[in-house]
């Protein structure tokens, strides 16, 4: 007799019991050392993400329109947390690398992540840190700006992606905010800009008319419309390819439980159409499965990831594997 399934689509308790390995994680030094290597392999998995197509097209347009010292523009990519903004930036850099347009030693695309309470000096320091310049802190703001522009020239950079751009709204007493620095940045026409951040980034950039008017139409990541059967199939296809990539990496001895239709419904509900969220959740589940010596990612690992990560990050109200998908985003 098959396990009982509740009307809300939740898994029966016995289905969420481990089928292999131990019920609990073993976090010994040896296991954590092995986990470091495995996690690097998992993070190297990249599947074409339909959420990112519009981002790639817009960044290509920024590069196409740019003319060093004459004209540069930028584009905004603002979306919810864990929508895949940073991964879209990194994947675009790989796409550019595969095209072979630039020398192998060049760094045409560079991503910089801003810290909270980012001042103009911290803005420039973050850029130089991305180029490995550890001796910039003694310079004043103008010297930092010139050093950054020299780094762009030296490394043939054509596009700078500023991640967590919402932190550029900080204005200390008597000083300008980094958003004002970004305006001059565009005027200096050294490289194109991708301004990536969360919903607060959208509010910040839209409130600064002088800056927003210099940008191309936004390329904010949009989720799949999971009410559309065709979009549902795109989600399933992405998950199948991700499952196959895990198998190709030989990280587990058997295939994951990602192909189960009920599991897919739960993953759709948690992700709300953002494939980047599914990827992060799968990474959490994979860590849990490995640390308990499981043969594969099982339903219990996916449930664990939903409870500890998705609910913990307030991306969902509850674990759909245990309690069903009904009212999950209420």
């Amino acid at each position: 007799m098959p396990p009982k399934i509740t009307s809300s689509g939740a898994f029966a308790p016995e289905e969420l019991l481990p089928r292999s390995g131990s019920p609990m994680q073993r976090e010994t030094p040896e296991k954590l050392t092995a986990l470091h290597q495995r996690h690097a392999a998992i993070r190297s998995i990249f599947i074409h993400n339909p959420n990112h197509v519009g981002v790639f097209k817009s960044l290509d347009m920024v590069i196409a329109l740019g003319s060093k010292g004459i004209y540069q523009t930028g584009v905004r990519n603002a979306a919810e947390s864990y929508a895949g903004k940073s991964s879209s930036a990194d994947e675009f850099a790989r796409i550019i690398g595969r095209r072979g347009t630039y020398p192998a030693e060049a760094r045409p695309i560079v991503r910089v992540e801003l810290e909270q309470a980012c001042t103009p000096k911290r803005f420039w320091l973050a850029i130089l840190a991305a180029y490995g310049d550890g001796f910039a802190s003694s310079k004043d703001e103008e010297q930092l700006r010139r050093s950054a522009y020299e780094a762009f020239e030296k490394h043939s950079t054509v596009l700078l992606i500023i991640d967590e751009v919402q932190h550029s709204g900080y204005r200390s007493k008597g000083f300008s905010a980094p958003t004002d620095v970004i305006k001059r940045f565009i005027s200096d026409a050294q490289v194109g800009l991708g301004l990536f951040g969360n919903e607060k980034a959208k509010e910040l950039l839209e409130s600064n008319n002088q800056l927003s008017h210099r940008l191309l139409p936004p390329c904010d990541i949009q989720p799949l419309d999971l009410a559309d059967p065709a979009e549902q199939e795109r989600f399933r296809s992405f998950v199948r390819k991700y499952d196959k990539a895990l198998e190709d990496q030989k990280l587990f001895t058997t295939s994951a439980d990602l192909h189960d239709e009920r599991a897919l419904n739960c993953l759709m509900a948690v992700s709300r159409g953002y494939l980047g969220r599914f990827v992060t959740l799968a990474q959490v589940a994979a860590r849990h499965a490995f640390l308990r010596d499981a043969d594969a990612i099982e339903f219990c690992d996916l449930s664990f990831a939903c409870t500890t990560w998705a609910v913990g990050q307030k991306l969902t109200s509850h674990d759909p594997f245990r309690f069903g998908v009904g009212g999950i985003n209420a």
Side-chain angles (χ1 to χ4, degrees):
M1 179 180 294
K4 180 181 178 182
I5 304 171
T6 66
S7 59
S8 62
F11 285 70
E14 58 267 32
E15 292 183 283
L16 296 178
L17 295 175
R19 299 195 301 272
S20 64
S22 304
M24 303 296 292
Q25 297 184 132
R26 292 192 306 114
E27 299 180 10
T28 64
E30 295 77 15
K31 287 290 285 185
L32 292 176
T33 297
L35 177 65
H36 176 76
Q37 297 173 334
R38 291 172 66 91
H39 189 57
I42 290 176
R43 286 180 59 85
S44 71
I45 294 174
F46 287 97
I47 309 298
H48 173 68
N49 186 336
N51 290 158
H52 295 168
V53 173
V55 178
F56 298 157
K57 289 181 178 179
S58 292
L59 294 178
D60 264 330
M61 182 63 71
V62 170
I63 294 173
L65 294 176
S67 181
K68 191 175 181 66
I70 299 174
Y71 175 83
Q72 297 286 354
T73 186
V75 68
R76 182 195 84 203
N77 175 16
E80 298 180 26
S81 297
Y82 300 102
K85 298 181 293 294
S86 298
S87 60
S88 71
D90 294 340
E91 180 62 9
F92 183 72
R94 280 183 285 272
I95 290 171
I96 294 296
R98 289 195 295 269
R99 290 175 183 170
T101 310
Y102 301 92
E105 68 276 9
R107 296 186 62 189
I109 316 297
V110 172
R111 178 168 70 88
V112 175
E113 189 167 317
L114 300 184
E115 297 179 357
Q116 293 188 18
C118 181
T119 62
K121 183 170 183 177
R122 288 179 180 174
F123 174 86
W124 293 115
L125 285 172
I127 293 173
L128 290 171
Y131 288 96
D133 187 344
F135 303 96
S137 58
S138 61
K139 299 177 181 178
D140 62 27
E141 188 178 329
E142 183 59 27
Q143 290 172 324
L144 291 170
R145 184 178 69 87
R146 288 201 300 270
S147 293
Y149 291 175
E150 288 169 2
F152 299 154
E153 183 72 28
K154 177 181 178 181
H155 295 278
S156 302
T157 301
V158 295
L159 178 70
L160 184 72
I161 295 177
I162 301 175
D163 211 349
E164 305 293 350
V165 74
Q166 67 271 11
H167 296 156
S168 68
Y170 178 77
R171 187 185 297 272
S172 57
K173 186 176 181 180
F175 293 91
S176 62
T179 45
D180 298 320
V181 177
I182 293 173
K183 284 188 293 187
R184 179 178 176 181
F185 198 132
I186 294 176
S187 297
D188 287 348
Q190 296 299 301
V191 296
L193 288 177
L195 303 177
F196 286 27
N198 61 15
E199 301 97 320
K200 292 181 180 178
K202 179 179 179 180
E203 297 173 8
L204 174 68
L205 296 174
E206 287 181 343
S207 68
N208 191 319
N209 289 336
Q210 289 184 322
L211 175 55
S212 62
H213 289 172
R214 302 183 189 193
L215 304 177
L216 298 180
C219 62
D220 304 338
I221 291 177
Q222 300 299 321
L224 297 176
D225 179 5
L226 296 179
D228 182 344
E231 298 282 83
Q232 290 181 18
E233 184 51 38
R234 284 190 177 184
F235 187 98
R236 292 187 183 92
S237 176
F238 184 90
V239 173
R240 285 194 295 267
K241 290 175 182 177
Y242 193 88
D243 189 14
K244 179 64 165 56
L246 286 173
E247 185 178 337
D248 292 343
Q249 291 278 1
K250 302 187 186 306
L251 297 171
F252 296 98
T253 57
T254 60
S255 181
D257 275 341
L258 298 174
H259 58 279
D260 181 273
E261 190 64 26
R262 288 175 301 147
L264 284 168
N265 289 336
C266 292
L267 294 171
M268 287 182 193
V270 171
S271 72
R272 295 200 300 161
Y274 288 113
L275 291 169
R277 289 184 180 177
F278 157 73
V279 169
T280 303
L281 188 141
Q283 290 173 350
V284 174
R287 290 199 296 271
H288 186 253
F290 171 69
L291 289 173
R292 63 180 190 82
D293 296 313
D295 294 337
I297 299 173
E298 299 176 358
F299 297 139
C300 63
D301 302 304
L302 296 170
S303 175
F304 172 88
C306 287
T307 299
T308 60
W309 178 73
V311 175
Q313 295 291 343
K314 301 187 185 303
L315 300 178
T316 184
S317 59
H318 63 264
D319 170 19
F321 287 85
R322 194 168 299 277
F323 302 108
V325 299
I328 193 166
N329 295 310

